Each structure stands twice: as C-alpha cells, then as structure tokens.
Amino acid sequence: MARLENSEYQAAVESARQALSSAKVSLLEEERQGLQALSEWKSSGLEGEPDSDLVLRKPQLAAAKATVKQAEASLKAAEKDLSQSAIKAPFDALVINRAVSPGGYVQTGSEVATLYSTDRVEISVALSAQEWNNLPSLAILNSGKWPVEVESVEDHHIWQGRVLRAEQNLNVETRQRSLIIAVDEPLDLEPALFPGTFVSAHITGRNVAGVWKLPNSALSQRGEVWYVSADNTLQKFSASPLFSSSGYIYIQPPESLNNTPVMILVSPLNSYLEGMAVNPVEVAL
C-alpha cells in the first residue's frame, strides 16, 4: 500500500551486519587465544587448575560470545525495521481509501488506508429479544455453520451465507444484540456481492412443534385470541406471537387446545365476552 523512505533503515542493516562480522572475528580470535593459553598452561608443568579463569581466558571468551549474540539480535531488529518500511495489507483486501501520499509523513497510529477483506464480507443484523428466542442455541450459532440467505434489496439476487458469531452485548442506542453473518469470497460469486450492498437476511429459525398459523387480525389489541368452544360459546387465551410473516402470525397454543380442532375468530371485537353464545360461520382463508 505504501513504502517509507528507508535509506536510514538500509544503513542500519548494513551497520548491524558489519558489527556482527566484527564480533564473529573477535570470537574466533578469542577462541584461538584460549587454546593457546591452555597449551601454555599444560606446558608450564604446573599441576591443578589455574587460580583464576582469566589465565585460560574463559571470561574473555564468554564476553566475545555475548557480543556475537547481541550483534545478531541487533541485525534482526534492523532487518525487521527495514521490512516494516513497506506497509502491506495484513490480509487479502480491497483498498477503498488511501490516507497517505508521496512525500507525506506518518507516525505511530496514523491512518494509512481503509481496507475491505476479500476473504469474506460480514453483515451485522440487529435482532429483538423475541427474534433471538426463535433462533437455536448459541453453541449452534457460534459453530459457523448455521445457514442464512442474503438477498439484495435492489435486484433480489440471493447469496448463501452462514452465521459467524453472536454478539454478547447490547447496542447502547437500540438495546438490541446483533448476529454477525458471513458470506465467503463475495467477489468470486456470480453475481459478486460488493461491500456496501443493501441486503436483507433470511435466517433459519429453530424447529417449534405444534405452532398455529393465524391471520394477523386474529390477535386482538389486548394480545388475546378468541375461539369457539365445543358448546358454541366464546373463549379466549393470551398469546404472544413467536414470529410473523406475510400477513400471518405463528403462536404456541395452550396445552389444553393441543391436537384439538377449534374455530378461531378472524376479527374479534372488543365487546366480546367469555361464555357468550354464538352461531359460528366458517370462512375460507
């Protein structure tokens, strides 16, 4: 993306290499002097070990070895500084915006460019508490395999995605949690999914058994569903829709009505009373 003027870094590398070469020469010389000192000690006819390690030049040898290690570390540091003078993207990406120009100055923390990854595009979808209840467990969502369809708002192209992760914090403004959806290699798809595209997400929910599908109008303003009992009287129960779609709501009925055919009032009135006798008329929906 950019390259810093690196003549000083190149000079630092060469200086470090020269220092390393000199340190290695000094080490070789010290090793030879140590061997010479040992030979002279043996030929002196003295018995035992010398009173001081200086006689056999052991401290001098250790210092020479330490100098070589220091020079090697300095060379690595200089080479690292030189390599970092070329600023590269840390992943395969599109360069959306450059914040530097030839002749400009940068320092630690300066913005260099804006990048979009080409490995995958991530889409954040804010969900309500009710929508979260309709999804599977976090362990399944965070597995990275739960399927999602991503549809373009403009031309209705559909791409296959997956849930990447579920965030564990609420947005301070919307008070909602977000689900992060990923579409892999978006630019290699046909058609390509470009970053910034307006999309809607169709997320597969968890399986729920025994759900009733009712028209939206069947749920009263008080959140109640009215039905006709076996003796042709009106009864009701409170319901909270699990979800809604295309003019219908999906609710979980009371256990007492499970597997029991009942007639649901399509448009209940506020004036209805429980136990009121009625003459029901079936209508096709």
Side-chain angles (χ1 to χ4, degrees):
M1 297 184 295
R3 185 180 297 278
L4 304 179
E5 200 288 316
N6 60 9
S7 59
E8 292 186 1
Y9 296 112
Q10 291 177 352
V13 169
E14 296 304 323
S15 177
R17 286 176 179 167
Q18 188 275 332
L20 177 59
S21 297
S22 298
K24 288 182 177 179
V25 170
S26 298
L27 176 60
L28 292 174
E29 292 176 346
E30 193 55 51
E31 287 176 344
R32 173 164 294 187
Q33 291 183 24
L35 292 175
Q36 180 65 30
L38 179 60
S39 176
E40 292 177 353
W41 172 259
K42 290 181 179 179
S43 62
S44 66
L46 298 176
E47 296 181 356
E49 295 293 330
D51 294 336
S52 173
D53 289 339
L54 291 172
V55 176
L56 299 181
R57 304 188 65 83
K58 291 182 180 180
Q60 293 91 327
L61 180 61
K65 289 181 178 179
T67 301
V68 170
K69 290 183 178 181
Q70 181 184 17
E72 290 174 343
S74 297
L75 177 59
K76 288 182 179 180
E79 289 175 339
K80 180 180 179 181
D81 289 342
L82 178 60
S83 67
Q84 292 180 339
S85 65
I87 303 175
K88 301 178 181 179
F91 47 80
D92 293 338
L94 293 174
V95 179
I96 304 303
N97 176 58
R98 293 181 185 271
V100 294
S101 59
Y105 292 88
V106 294
Q107 59 185 4
T108 302
S110 296
E111 180 182 345
V112 176
T114 301
L115 307 178
Y116 282 171
S117 170
T118 57
D119 293 335
R120 67 170 180 247
V121 62
E122 295 186 8
I123 304 165
S124 178
V125 180
L127 301 177
S128 65
Q130 182 61 53
E131 290 169 328
W132 277 103
N133 290 334
N134 295 329
L135 293 176
S137 65
L138 287 178
I140 295 176
L141 292 176
N142 289 328
S143 68
K145 298 180 181 179
W146 194 252
V148 179
E149 279 191 351
V150 177
E151 181 179 358
S152 170
V153 173
E154 296 178 354
D155 50 25
H156 304 290
H157 285 302
I158 293 177
W159 299 274
Q160 299 302 317
R162 57 189 174 88
V163 174
L164 188 63
R165 65 183 180 276
E167 293 190 344
Q168 298 300 301
N169 64 288
L170 295 176
N171 185 285
V172 295
E173 296 180 356
T174 65
R175 308 307 298 169
Q176 292 182 327
R177 279 199 299 151
S178 293
L179 195 66
I180 308 302
I181 297 169
V183 177
D184 297 319
E185 299 180 350
L187 300 184
D188 295 335
L189 301 176
E190 183 58 42
L193 174 56
F194 297 106
T197 303
F198 288 99
V199 296
S200 60
H202 305 275
I203 307 170
T204 304
R206 62 185 175 89
N207 292 327
V208 182
V211 172
W212 285 4
K213 176 183 177 182
L214 304 176
N216 285 337
S217 60
L219 186 67
S220 71
Q221 295 180 348
R222 298 176 180 176
E224 298 170 336
V225 175
W226 289 83
Y227 66 97
V228 180
S229 64
D231 59 356
N232 283 346
T233 60
L234 293 180
Q235 303 295 330
K236 66 178 180 179
F237 62 87
S238 297
S240 179
L242 297 175
F243 56 94
S244 61
S245 176
S246 303
Y248 290 91
I249 59 173
Y250 297 80
I251 66 170
Q252 192 85 52
E255 292 185 5
S256 60
L257 297 180
N258 276 336
N259 302 319
T260 302
V262 295
M263 298 181 66
I264 302 297
L265 274 66
V266 175
S267 299
L269 301 178
N270 292 332
S271 59
Y272 286 161
L273 298 174
E274 282 191 284
M276 180 184 292
V278 294
N279 185 20
V281 177
E282 292 190 33
V283 296
L285 298 178

